[in-house]
Amino acid sequence: EELKRDHLNAKEENHGKIVDHHRKASARIDTIYGDHKTLSNQHSDLSAKLENLVREMAQLMSEHQTAIRTSSQELHSLVRTSADETNKELTKSESKLRVEIGDVKTNVTSKVDTDISAVRKQVERVMDSSLEQFEELLGQTARRDDVVKALAAKADKSDVDDRIEALKSQAKRSLDSTTQVLATKTDHVTFEKKIGALDQGLGNQEQALQRVADLLNTHAAEMSRDVRRLDAELEARAEKIETFRRLEGCITEITEIEKEVRRKADIKDVNLLIDGKADVDEINRALLDVNGQLNLKASMADISATLHEQALLNSTLITELCLGRWIWKSLKTKAGGAVPWNIQTANSDPANLMWEKDKTYLTCVSPGLYEIQIGFFSRRKPVVKLHVNGEPVLTLSGPHSAVIHHAGGRLQSSGRYTNSNITGLTHIDFIALPSRARVSCSYQGDDDAEALIGIRKL
């Protein structure tokens, strides 16, 4: 039987090794296929990236063309606006000049008329004064006798001639001054000619401004053509640069992929590895041996039944082993003589038997019947009371006293007491506890006493 067991163990180890080798070979093949799939995915990703690059380049070109059209439209609108503003300013200046020329013409005409009327009045006054003087002279020569008398009384002919010459010279001077005044004034016809000349000058200026506007439009059109040509050149250069950059990135990625492919295993190496592994026939033979050995083993039904019986046995043992023990070693009690349990020495079910360090009570979570073990060790007779939820249920005293069951239960001897610390007041009893019952003890006796308590769930 030992040889058979060793043989079976050796077969199981060989079968495990064969299965392990087969699993490793399958994993290696899966890895190779996964690498191939990864390379295919990377190739598809690169194709998608190239398509995205082409779409982005087309979008950039459309955006650039839109910006160029917008800038050219803005330039045309600016030129058109400047030409309109120039025409408006020329129209306003022409209207202002016409108004000013009309005002000047009116003022000059009124002034010329006023000067001419003044000169006319002055000439009439001079002529009137000359006529009056001639009439006076004629009046003085009305009768011959008077004339003779006057001639006899007056100066000679030369004096008269001199006086007449003086009058003539005076009248001539008046006419010369009048002629000079008239010559200094602006003639109406001459003024009209000047107005026409001004109109012609304004027309020439308007034509010159129109030619300037035409030149500006021509220059703007040339500038727009130059801008479009420069934009086209810039777009072509930018596209070339971007294309070169993208190609460099693609070449770099392809180089990395080639490096990764070189690092991968070759198909020859894979074939060699596969050839070195066990073939299907060997695996089938090993599996047949394993199946033969498995037929000699226990069935799952037998194993399940055995495990069920073992679980029942374990549950019974666990219920019997639900116990805990705690010690009082601090030699000091708390208020009302309550004993603090300082040390936990054993607890097989902490979820049911709950203890906290230096607390005066122990909590029993599950309701039911419990076995209580109590022991107090002191030099003189103590008095011990067992409390449940703060109420006393047992009172223990000296060796010749009985146990008092406050709930009316049975009486049990408390054992022997001596004056030494080798033995003490010990007692075992059974109590039925409710859910989450708090079990505690109160002590009256020597200060240097120690105690233990044990609780077991039945």
Side-chain angles (χ1 to χ4, degrees):
E1 289 178 355
E2 290 178 357
L3 290 173
K4 186 184 290 185
R5 282 196 297 272
D6 294 337
H7 183 66
L8 292 175
N9 292 329
K11 281 188 176 182
E12 289 178 356
E13 290 179 357
N14 292 328
H15 179 263
K17 290 180 181 180
I18 291 168
V19 172
D20 190 13
H21 287 302
H22 185 268
R23 189 182 298 111
K24 289 181 180 179
S26 300
R28 185 64 178 171
I29 293 170
D30 293 335
T31 304
I32 293 169
Y33 282 119
D35 295 336
H36 182 268
K37 188 174 180 181
T38 304
L39 291 174
S40 301
N41 293 329
Q42 290 178 355
H43 183 268
S44 61
D45 292 337
L46 287 175
S47 300
K49 288 180 180 179
L50 287 175
E51 292 177 357
N52 292 327
L53 289 175
V54 172
R55 285 196 295 272
E56 289 177 359
M57 290 174 65
Q59 186 177 1
L60 289 173
M61 290 178 63
S62 62
E63 291 177 355
H64 193 64
Q65 290 175 0
T66 304
I68 291 170
R69 285 196 295 271
T70 304
S71 60
S72 62
Q73 290 175 0
E74 290 178 355
L75 182 61
H76 284 300
S77 63
L78 289 173
V79 172
R80 193 180 297 109
T81 304
S82 62
D84 294 336
E85 290 178 355
T86 305
N87 291 326
K88 288 179 181 178
E89 290 178 357
L90 288 174
T91 305
K92 289 180 180 179
S93 61
E94 184 179 359
S95 61
K96 287 181 180 180
L97 285 173
R98 288 184 184 279
V99 172
E100 290 177 358
I101 289 169
D103 294 337
V104 170
K105 185 176 180 181
T106 304
N107 294 328
V108 171
T109 303
S110 61
K111 190 173 182 180
V112 169
D113 292 337
T114 304
D115 293 337
I116 289 172
S117 62
V119 171
R120 186 181 291 112
K121 289 178 181 179
Q122 186 176 2
V123 171
E124 288 178 354
R125 283 196 302 271
V126 173
M127 293 298 291
D128 290 337
S129 63
S130 299
L131 290 173
E132 287 176 357
Q133 289 178 2
F134 280 115
E135 285 177 355
E136 288 179 358
L137 291 173
L138 289 174
Q140 291 176 3
T141 59
R143 290 182 296 180
R144 186 176 179 178
D145 294 336
D146 294 332
V147 172
V148 172
K149 291 179 180 179
L151 286 173
K154 302 294 180 181
D156 57 3
K157 186 178 179 179
S158 60
D159 295 332
V160 175
D161 292 332
D162 293 334
R163 191 173 180 180
I164 289 169
E165 290 294 333
L167 290 172
K168 287 181 179 180
S169 62
Q170 186 179 359
K172 188 175 181 181
R173 283 195 301 274
S174 298
L175 289 173
D176 291 336
S177 63
T178 302
T179 304
Q180 187 176 1
V181 171
L182 290 172
T184 57
K185 303 298 180 180
T186 305
D187 192 347
H188 185 71
V189 177
T190 306
F191 188 75
E192 291 292 337
K193 290 180 180 179
K194 289 182 178 180
I195 294 297
L198 288 173
D199 292 335
Q200 187 177 2
L202 288 174
N204 293 330
Q205 289 181 358
E206 185 175 359
Q207 292 177 0
L209 289 173
Q210 185 64 34
R211 288 194 297 273
V212 170
D214 294 336
L215 289 174
L216 285 174
N217 290 327
T218 305
H219 186 63
E222 292 178 355
M223 288 179 65
S224 178
R225 287 194 296 272
D226 294 337
V227 167
R228 285 196 295 271
R229 187 175 64 255
L230 290 173
D231 288 336
E233 292 178 357
L234 289 174
E235 284 181 1
R237 292 180 181 178
E239 288 176 358
K240 290 180 180 178
I241 293 170
E242 188 66 23
T243 303
F244 288 143
R245 188 180 295 113
R246 298 295 172 82
L247 289 174
E248 289 177 356
C250 293
I251 291 169
T252 305
E253 292 181 357
I254 291 170
T255 305
E256 294 294 331
I257 292 171
E258 290 178 352
K259 290 180 181 179
E260 291 180 0
V261 171
R262 291 193 188 97
R263 286 196 295 269
K264 302 299 180 182
D266 193 3
I267 190 67
K268 295 180 180 179
D269 299 332
V270 174
N271 291 328
L272 290 174
L273 290 173
I274 292 172
D275 292 336
K277 303 300 178 183
D279 57 3
V280 177
D281 295 332
E282 293 177 356
I283 293 172
N284 289 330
R285 286 194 296 272
L287 289 175
L288 289 174
D289 294 336
V290 170
N291 290 327
Q293 296 297 327
L294 289 175
N295 290 327
L296 299 175
K297 304 296 180 181
S299 64
M300 289 299 297
D302 297 336
I303 293 173
S304 298
T306 304
L307 290 175
H308 181 67
E309 292 175 357
Q310 186 66 36
L312 292 176
L313 181 61
N314 291 336
S315 63
T316 304
L317 292 174
I318 287 172
T319 56
E320 292 296 328
L321 294 175
C322 179
L323 59 88
R325 292 191 186 92
W326 299 269
I327 299 175
W328 170 42
K329 290 183 68 68
S330 62
L331 308 179
K332 294 180 180 179
T333 59
K334 293 192 176 181
V339 177
W341 302 108
N342 311 120
I343 300 172
Q344 178 176 262
T345 59
N347 190 351
S348 62
D349 192 2
N352 184 27
L353 303 176
M354 299 176 65
W355 165 82
E356 293 183 20
K357 185 177 176 62
D358 295 332
K359 294 290 184 179
T360 60
Y361 58 86
L362 303 168
T363 303
C364 298
V365 178
S366 300
L369 187 63
Y370 286 84
E371 179 185 354
I372 303 295
Q373 302 170 1
I374 301 173
F376 281 82
F377 299 87
S378 61
R379 290 190 304 271
R380 288 180 293 182
K381 181 179 69 174
V383 177
V384 179
K385 291 183 180 182
L386 179 67
H387 301 265
V388 176
N389 293 332
E391 297 181 0
V393 295
L394 290 175
T395 300
L396 308 177
S397 58
H400 302 290
S401 300
V403 177
I404 300 174
H405 291 265
H406 295 270
R410 69 181 184 277
L411 299 176
Q412 179 77 21
S413 175
S414 61
R416 186 178 298 277
Y417 171 76
T418 62
N419 291 327
S420 66
N421 290 331
I422 296 174
T423 61
L425 178 63
T426 60
H427 180 70
I428 298 174
D429 211 329
F430 300 89
I431 55 176
L433 297 178
S435 177
R436 300 192 67 82
R438 288 188 175 186
V439 179
S440 60
C441 293
S442 62
Y443 168 79
Q444 294 179 0
D446 294 336
D447 294 335
D448 56 350
E450 295 179 352
L452 67 88
I453 185 171
I455 300 175
R456 183 167 69 93
K457 178 75 170 62
L458 299 180

